[in-house]
Each structure stands twice: as structure tokens, then as C-alpha cells.
Amino acid sequence: MAPLAFLLPLLPALALALGPAAGGTRRPLALGEAEELAEELWGAGLPGDLPELEPECRRLLVAFAEGSAALTGCLGRRARPVRLCQACHRHYRRLLAQYGNIARAVGNSSESHNCAKSILTSDRLQIVVTLSEFFNETWEAANCANCLKNNSEGLSNSTVEFLDLFNKSLTCFERNLQGQTISLSPSNYTEVCQNCNETYKMLSDLYNNLQRMNRQGGESGHTAHLCIDVEDAMNITRKLWSRTFNCSVPCSDTVPVIAVSSFILFLPIVFYLSSFLHSKQKKRILILPKRIQSNASLVNIQEKYS
């Protein structure tokens, strides 16, 4: 009865319109008689060529619809804070496989339509193709491949390490704020800054290392931004550390920085001092005595008139 599903709403009308009656009046057909009439119409080729899907193609379409719904729900629930890649990668891989099954599948019977043609390209809207492109573009925009292993079976080791440090940082923040939130002023989070400084510095260093690795290909083999999960986690932590808690990371290279800055600061002083001393030496010109100059002039006169 599956091919007759589109006729079911018409059965009452068929029963009223086509039922024979004695004495020139029409009597309503029983529902069973209407169904038999619908079967006869279908068997006679009416309506002619509705594009009904083969059972296997219908099963593939239903599986893709269920996979799309599951992935959409996962993306929506994990939008804030962003956990798309770590929470939805299994749904995405499953949907890719389901779309691949549709693209490759052919109906069982020799007269059946190709499932790919019937499902993907039989109408202008091409809703299955549109949905698949949307999910692919969203996944690529999130750079989720940079959080996963090469075969996308799970999170990479570096991502797992980063998320573990991120959770430890948030736990440290929460532990040092318990029972003090009300009494603390917005600028007095000394305990948070002192007790969580080491964990935060490790997280920040690891994030910088991941960025450097990512420029060289990294574990995932992709050279792009880090995945949105890692970027969002680091942004959250930095905002809490610098804006909310007003903490700062002490620089371990303070002494070399001060030494270099002092050297650069004194360079102009050394330059002007050396220039001054050099100019004073130039002013020391040897001046001959006037008597010597007179004798020399006299000798020149005598030579001239001799």
C-alpha cells in the first residue's frame, strides 16, 4: 500500500463520486470498495509516472535526515561555549558516510532509478545537497580538522592536553573564588592571580606552541587557524585573567630587558659626550710666537732683494 499513500486522502471523495446507485441515485462506496478502486486506478497506470523511491533509496534518505537532525541539534547545543569539534565530530563523520552511501547507491531492481539521481538531483532545490554543503562549510569554517587526528576518529593528543589544562585553570579560578566573591572588590583578586599563575602560564605556553605547530602542519596535517574550540577556550581564559581578575604574568626575562633598555638609554649620552671631547681636541691648534713669525718675514724680505 505504500504506492497508494498519496490516494488515501482521496478515498472518501472517490467513494462519494463514483459509487453506483439503483434508481438513478448514488450511494457512498464502502471504504474497502474505494481502496479496491484505487488499486485498479494504480494498476491501470493512473497517475502515470510519480517518482516513487525504491525501498533501499528511501531507507538511505531517512538515515540522512536523521543524521542531519542529530548533527544540527549537536551544533546548536554546543554553540556557547563553543564545543563543536569535540562534541559533534562523530555526528559529522556519520553524516558524511550516509551522504556517501546515497551518492554510491543504486536500487536493487534493474528497472529502479539510481538513488543518487533520485535523491540528489531530481529537483531544482536539491535539499540533500544543500544540507550537506552547509554542514561541510560549517565544519571547515570551524577548522575542526585541526583538533582531530588525521583520520578524524578523535581528538588529537595536543588538543586533549590543552583541554585538560583549560579545565584545570577554570577549576583553580573557581576554587580560589569560593566564599570570597561577595567580599572581593573588582580589583582585588590577589589569591587567584598568585595561586593560578602557574597553571595559566602553562596553558598560555601550550597554546602558543600549538600555534607554532599548526603553521608547520601539526598533528592534523592542516595549516590554518586552530580549531574554534581551542581558540574560544583560550579567549575565555585570557578575558577572565586580564579583564575580570586583572592579573598579569611576571616576565622571567626582566633583568636582560632592563639591561638592554638601560644600554639603549645611555647611548645618546655617550655619543654626545664623545663628540664634545673630540671637538675640544680639534680646537687645540698650535700657534707660533710672533717673534718667530717676524724673523721668518725678515728672511723672506732679504731673499727677495738679494
Side-chain angles (χ1 to χ4, degrees):
M1 291 299 293
L4 302 177
F6 75 98
L7 289 176
L8 291 178
L10 303 178
L11 291 179
L14 288 171
L16 289 173
L18 302 177
T25 60
R26 296 182 180 272
R27 67 173 179 84
L29 285 175
L31 184 59
E33 294 175 321
E35 290 180 352
E36 291 177 3
L37 180 59
E39 289 179 358
E40 292 177 3
L41 291 173
W42 181 265
L46 298 175
D49 54 354
L50 286 178
E52 284 295 316
L53 287 176
E54 292 293 328
E56 178 65 14
C57 299
R58 174 65 62 182
R59 184 188 67 79
L60 293 174
L61 180 59
V62 170
F64 180 84
E66 292 175 349
S68 299
L71 180 56
T72 302
C74 182
L75 295 176
R77 289 190 298 270
R78 303 293 182 170
R80 292 303 310 164
V82 181
R83 300 292 184 271
L84 305 183
C85 305
Q86 52 188 304
C88 306
H89 65 91
R90 292 185 181 86
H91 295 292
Y92 179 70
R93 288 184 61 230
R94 191 176 301 119
L95 190 69
L96 287 181
Q98 291 165 344
Y99 184 84
N101 292 337
I102 293 175
R104 292 189 302 266
V106 178
N108 293 329
S109 65
S110 59
E111 299 179 356
S112 63
H113 295 290
N114 186 313
C115 290
K117 182 178 179 180
S118 300
I119 297 176
L120 303 180
T121 61
S122 60
D123 57 81
R124 177 177 60 83
L125 188 58
Q126 299 181 5
I127 187 64
V128 173
V129 177
T130 302
L131 285 173
S132 178
E133 290 177 350
F134 166 76
F135 289 125
N136 289 334
E137 291 172 359
T138 302
W139 201 254
E140 291 175 4
N143 291 306
C144 287
N146 289 313
C147 279
L148 306 175
K149 298 177 181 177
N150 286 330
N151 53 9
S152 298
E153 290 183 353
L155 297 176
S156 63
N157 295 333
S158 57
T159 303
V160 172
E161 182 183 2
F162 175 86
L163 294 176
D164 180 61
L165 270 177
F166 169 69
N167 291 330
K168 288 181 179 179
S169 299
L170 294 185
T171 302
C172 183
F173 295 162
E174 183 179 2
R175 183 173 60 250
N176 285 274
L177 287 174
Q178 285 180 350
Q180 304 179 23
T181 306
I182 300 177
S183 60
L184 285 176
S185 64
S187 59
N188 186 17
Y189 294 101
T190 307
E191 291 188 7
V192 176
C193 299
Q194 291 178 348
N195 298 335
C196 304
N197 176 66
E198 183 178 355
T199 306
Y200 175 79
K201 189 175 184 303
M202 291 172 60
L203 180 69
S204 182
D205 291 343
L206 179 58
Y207 181 79
N208 294 333
N209 290 334
L210 289 177
Q211 284 185 317
R212 285 192 292 269
M213 289 173 53
N214 194 57
R215 297 189 190 102
Q216 302 171 358
E219 295 180 56
S220 63
H222 293 76
T223 55
H225 293 286
L226 294 175
C227 74
I228 189 64
D229 293 28
V230 171
E231 289 183 343
D232 185 70
M234 195 67 229
N235 288 338
I236 290 175
T237 312
R238 284 175 173 172
K239 287 179 181 178
L240 288 173
W241 185 259
S242 60
R243 297 183 183 179
T244 304
F245 304 140
N246 197 26
C247 301
S248 60
V249 179
C251 182
S252 58
D253 299 329
T254 303
V255 175
V257 170
I258 294 176
V260 172
S261 301
S262 301
F263 175 75
I264 295 175
L265 179 64
F266 281 100
L267 272 180
I269 300 175
V270 174
F271 173 77
Y272 285 113
L273 182 61
S274 61
S275 298
F276 175 76
L277 294 176
H278 185 66
S279 62
K280 291 292 289 183
Q281 288 179 356
K282 278 189 171 184
K283 290 181 179 179
R284 294 177 181 177
I285 301 174
L286 292 176
I287 303 175
L288 294 174
K290 291 183 178 181
R291 186 173 59 181
I292 295 176
Q293 289 181 354
S294 301
N295 293 336
S297 301
L298 180 60
V299 171
N300 289 335
I301 294 172
Q302 290 176 353
E303 289 179 353
K304 181 176 178 182
Y305 289 101
S306 61

